[in-house]
Amino acid sequence: MLIWVVSWLVAGLLVAVAIVVLALMVATWRIAAKAERLVPACGKFVEIDGNRIHYVEEGDGRPIVFVHGLGAQLHHFRHTLFGRFGAGYRLIALDRPGSGYSVRASGATGRLPEQADIVRRFIEELRLERPLVVGHSLGGAIALALATGHPTAISGIALLSPLTHLEATGRQGFDLLYVPSRLLRRALAHTVAIPVSLRYAQPTLRFIFAPQAVPADYMIGGGGWLGLRPSHYFATSTDVVAVERDLDQIEKRYRDIAIPAGILFGTGDRVIAEAVHGEPMLDKIGGLDFERVEGLGHMPQFADPERVVGFIQRIAERAFAKVD
């Protein structure tokens, strides 16, 4: 009798768990479908070593390639900076593999040198002549990996609030994204991660944009909805794991950078501290153009796009002059 009761309890528990998992999967599918309906693909696609890269471009002239940060996508530049440069520039923003509408190749690791190499191959595929590379946040780390690993492919780097150093507490605030197991990462992506992300989206965005306010049109114009999809969560978690594996090795080569480089950093950044990731770079990259902005947070392209455009154009002038 006892065995029969226990068996029914276990069966009931399993059914309850299955129902919860199924409900989470359905909720995830609905949220992702809504995200893709609200923010559809808007650019072109190119195949790079099995990676299907989504990108947008505007203008003619000297090429500038934009690389976005953790959990972001190309709208962080298209929505904020495109249309502000004037004539003489060809602006290209891409979704990094797995982010936005770009699809990461089967078997790809997402490691930072791998991502830098994909950007290099993207530059080759589009036949861009030594572009300036703009990197924001984690995109800054990838731009640095490109500058140290493939310096002849680019003319210079302009970094916005870049991630430059591995910190012992660097994962703080992103613990839920640090999932070393690919299998567990995949399971979370299709069940609990997206509904939980939606539930805490506003507090998360307030933290990222602070001390500035979250733009009212961020979720659609800034592409924020695209982060609420399983593929995007998986890529973002993969990026967090890659940082801990690779960034310390990239750091060791900063003094080798000889191309024009600039960093714009806000003192109000609560995501990546300027004192840790900004100012120390003055001693590591010769001739670094360093612009510190009082009170500016982690998202300068949204908070002060005109300043950011001026900064990029200043670095571009040095970089392209050296190419000529």
Side-chain angles (χ1 to χ4, degrees), residues 154-283:
I154 60 178
S155 66
I157 52 175
L159 311 180
L160 310 173
S161 311
L163 178 70
T164 63
H165 291 78
L166 187 63
E167 298 182 73
T169 59
R171 221 193 299 150
Q172 192 172 21
F174 297 93
D175 290 332
L176 295 178
L177 289 169
Y178 185 78
V179 184
S181 166
R182 288 175 60 90
L183 182 61
L184 178 57
R185 206 181 303 157
R186 189 78 64 186
L188 290 173
H190 288 276
T191 54
V192 70
I194 303 307
V196 170
S197 296
L198 180 59
R199 170 67 178 80
Y200 292 101
Q202 288 308 310
T204 300
L205 290 176
R206 285 196 293 270
F207 167 71
I208 292 171
F209 278 88
Q212 283 76 48
V214 180
D217 62 348
Y218 174 72
M219 291 302 291
I220 295 180
W225 270 104
L226 292 179
L228 297 171
R229 298 177 302 143
S231 59
H232 205 102
Y233 169 83
F234 186 87
T236 302
S237 177
T238 300
D239 287 343
V240 171
V241 174
V243 166
E244 292 212 352
R245 293 177 176 172
D246 297 322
L247 190 55
D248 59 339
Q249 294 302 312
I250 297 170
E251 286 179 41
K252 296 174 182 177
R253 301 185 61 188
Y254 289 162
R255 287 186 171 84
D256 297 335
I257 296 176
I259 57 177
I263 291 178
L264 184 148
F265 229 124
T267 62
D269 195 325
R270 299 178 187 176
V271 179
I272 299 176
E274 183 273 327
V276 175
H277 295 270
E279 188 172 355
M281 297 296 284
L282 285 165
D283 296 327

